[in-house]
Amino acid sequence: MASLQHQHSLKIFLLLHVIFLHYHSSSSSCYAQVYNSSPKVDLTVYYEALCPFCSYFIAHDLVKLFTYDIINIVNLRLVPWGNAALDSSGYFHCQHGSGECLLNTVEACAVNAYPEPYKHYFFIQCIESLAYQQREAEWQSCFGRVSLNSQPIIDCYNQGNGRRLEIQNAYETKQLNPPHAYVPWVVVNNQPLREDYRNFIAYVCRAYRGASIPAVCTSSQFLINSFAETAPQVCTAGLHQNLTSFTPTEILKQSRQVFN
């Protein structure tokens, strides 16, 4: 029996590896090195949909990329998975329950279906704003609020691409070096900001080597470690609170089930 379980686990790992290599080869720009031909700064956010600190950061802090016109110097990537786990049977186990698994998949589909940050970010921001208010059951209203066609995301979820995207996110998160200790785990040019993640603007400005310097980068209000003395605002890896087995199948039916 132990041998069969080992073989099953090995198959899951190999599947993750193949899927990761497929996406890596088709979107290599997403994994740019610190020094590349583009002056843009890589900013990646590893998170989970129902961690309140992730929700607040995405809804209230990350929007500064757009309000301060920093998005033009940034390659923004949102990676919803966080502290979730994938078992040997292929089921997802999310830190804040099945609703989080569902929304992680929805948001992964949004990034995939609408690659332009202006489109997928504001949809995800809407969901995370509702989640922070404990109104995540209303997530479908965000399609209308940001004028986004729901069908590509629904199709992504229902046809299995959402599950594949989440397996990719699981593998990428697992391969982080150093490993993530909590979420949100914010990385600028491959360097984790750790507990100072809310000060991401200062790190982006310091890393930028291009000529089009945003005005905010000359402001004294953004200083390195300006948030470091506050209590850590994170959801810690390994502290599972509401684990249930989940796999994305039919979005509207599952949404009714998990949010009722």
Side-chain angles (χ1 to χ4, degrees):
M1 180 64 70
S3 177
L4 289 175
Q5 290 178 341
H6 176 74
Q7 291 177 12
H8 199 178
S9 298
L10 180 60
K11 288 179 181 178
I12 290 292
F13 177 81
L14 291 174
L15 174 63
L16 289 173
H17 187 63
V18 170
I19 292 173
F20 179 78
L21 289 177
H22 169 74
Y23 279 93
H24 185 276
S25 62
S26 63
S27 57
S28 59
S29 62
C30 291
Y31 303 94
Q33 299 300 314
V34 176
Y35 300 104
N36 53 48
S37 58
S38 171
K40 286 191 173 184
V41 178
D42 294 329
L43 174 63
T44 306
V45 181
Y46 297 89
Y47 72 101
E48 56 194 24
L50 295 184
C51 166
F53 306 113
C54 295
S55 297
Y56 186 89
F57 176 70
I58 291 173
H60 299 280
D61 290 333
L62 203 58
V63 71
K64 294 172 185 176
L65 288 174
F66 300 89
T67 57
Y68 289 128
D69 199 28
I70 304 173
I71 191 62
N72 293 324
I73 68 166
V74 165
N75 291 317
L76 175 64
R77 294 185 63 240
L78 299 177
V79 183
W81 179 259
N83 299 327
L86 180 68
D87 69 22
S88 60
S89 298
Y91 285 98
F92 301 166
H93 299 268
C94 297
Q95 191 170 35
H96 301 91
S98 295
E100 182 166 77
C101 290
L102 183 145
L103 292 179
N104 283 346
T105 309
V106 166
E107 295 181 10
C109 281
V111 173
N112 181 260
Y114 296 100
E116 288 294 322
Y118 286 95
K119 291 188 176 180
H120 68 247
Y121 168 74
F122 285 103
F123 175 71
I124 292 172
Q125 182 206 32
C126 177
I127 294 177
E128 294 304 321
S129 179
L130 290 172
Y132 189 71
Q133 302 170 61
Q134 298 184 333
R135 296 167 54 200
E136 58 269 18
E138 302 172 32
W139 71 269
Q140 293 177 62
S141 68
C142 291
F143 290 117
R145 293 186 186 196
V146 301
S147 301
L148 201 66
N149 181 5
S150 64
Q151 202 58 50
I153 294 175
I154 292 174
D155 289 344
C156 168
Y157 189 105
N158 290 350
Q159 295 173 9
N161 193 35
R163 183 176 184 279
R164 290 188 290 271
L165 291 168
E166 277 297 88
I167 291 174
Q168 176 201 0
N169 288 347
Y171 186 87
E172 181 181 340
T173 303
K174 187 176 179 62
Q175 296 304 306
L176 284 170
N177 185 18
H180 86 287
Y182 42 74
V183 288
W185 188 257
V186 181
V187 179
V188 172
N189 279 1
N190 293 340
Q191 300 300 314
L193 307 189
R194 300 185 185 274
E195 293 175 5
D196 199 30
Y197 67 86
R198 293 188 62 200
N199 199 30
F200 69 98
I201 290 178
Y203 291 93
V204 167
C205 289
R206 187 171 68 173
Y208 181 61
R209 294 294 180 267
S212 303
I213 301 174
V216 70
C217 288
T218 63
S219 171
S220 61
Q221 74 179 102
F222 295 106
L223 302 173
I224 300 296
N225 293 321
S226 62
F227 292 96
E229 295 181 0
T230 62
Q233 303 291 298
V234 298
C235 290
T236 305
L239 296 181
H240 295 121
Q241 301 170 1
N242 188 19
L243 290 181
T244 53
S245 297
F246 183 89
T247 189
T249 54
E250 201 283 307
I251 190 170
L252 299 181
K253 179 181 177 180
Q254 287 187 313
S255 184
R256 289 191 296 269
Q257 290 173 341
V258 302
F259 292 125
N260 281 343

